[in-house]
């Protein structure tokens, strides 16, 4: 889901190379939603994402990744990583990202942090900024009675 407070001339549907002649250089926010890996969608977070795009002036691309238990980890991470790689390499949105700001809440924050590690492992340019809201970063602990 692409959310923008500004008209982006190259962003037209259906997507095709003819629609991408004029690229706008702008920072972009890449958002991964929360929901404990089992629920949630970009649509459920659209209210505050609209506020963010109005306040920042940056377009936001929010990723709807596959949910558990139907799809097992690491599929979610791989989908987020592929979305990031696609964003860096495509002209189909009508923009050329000058900076990518990676944002995630809860499960989305965990995916954002993990994706940064995966960028290092794969030798891909890391995002320019990372903003995490209450992510689960250490899932190795065991509850004690």
């Amino acid at each position: 889901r692409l959310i923008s407070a500004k008209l982006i001339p190259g962003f037209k549907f259906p997507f095709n190379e003819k629609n991408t002649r004029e690229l706008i250089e702008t920072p972009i926010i890449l958002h991964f939603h929360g929901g404990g890996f089992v629920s949630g969608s970009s649509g459920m977070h659209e209210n505050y994402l609209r506020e963010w795009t109005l306040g920042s002036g940056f377009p936001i691309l929010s990723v709807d990744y596959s949910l558990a238990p139907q799809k097992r980890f690491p599929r979610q991470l791989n989908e987020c990583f592929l979305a990031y790689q696609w964003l860096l390499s495509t002209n189909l949105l009508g923009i050329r990202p000058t900076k990518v700001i990676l944002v995630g809440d809860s499960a989305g924050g965990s995916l954002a942090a993990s994706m940064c590690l995966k960028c290092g492992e794969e030798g891909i340019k890391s995002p320019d900024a990372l903003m995490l809201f209450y992510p689960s970063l250490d899932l190795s602990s065991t509850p004690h009675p």
Side-chain angles (χ1 to χ4, degrees), residues 1-11 15 22-32 46 48-63 86-87 90-103 131:
R1 179 179 308 253
L2 180 69
I3 302 167
S4 180
K6 300 176 186 173
L7 176 64
I8 300 172
F11 180 67
F15 298 127
E22 184 179 340
L23 296 178
I24 294 181
E25 292 190 350
T26 181
I28 187 166
I29 296 170
L30 182 60
H31 172 261
F32 305 139
E46 194 169 332
Y48 72 81
L49 295 178
R50 286 185 184 277
E51 292 294 323
W52 288 2
T53 193
L54 286 170
S56 69
F58 305 156
I60 299 173
L61 181 63
S62 186
V63 177
W86 178 81
L87 178 62
T90 189
N91 292 333
L92 294 179
L93 296 178
I95 65 168
R96 180 177 295 118
T98 56
K99 292 184 178 177
V100 177
I101 303 157
L102 197 57
V103 178
M131 199 161 67

Side-chain angles (χ1 to χ4, degrees), residues 72-142:
R72 298 184 66 183
F73 188 84
R75 180 165 180 160
Q76 297 81 0
L77 175 59
N78 292 335
E79 288 175 353
C80 292
F81 184 67
L82 288 173
Y84 176 69
Q85 287 181 296
W86 178 81
L87 178 62
L88 294 178
S89 64
T90 189
N91 292 333
L92 294 179
L93 296 178
I95 65 168
R96 180 177 295 118
T98 56
K99 292 184 178 177
V100 177
I101 303 157
L102 197 57
V103 178
D105 65 289
S106 189
S110 300
L111 289 169
S114 297
M115 206 205 70
C116 287
L117 296 173
K118 188 168 179 68
C119 284
E121 291 172 358
E122 300 291 331
I124 303 294
K125 176 192 177 300
S126 294
D128 298 286
L130 183 62
M131 199 161 67
L132 307 177
F133 297 94
Y134 49 91
S136 299
L137 299 177
D138 182 359
L139 302 177
S140 64
S141 62
T142 305

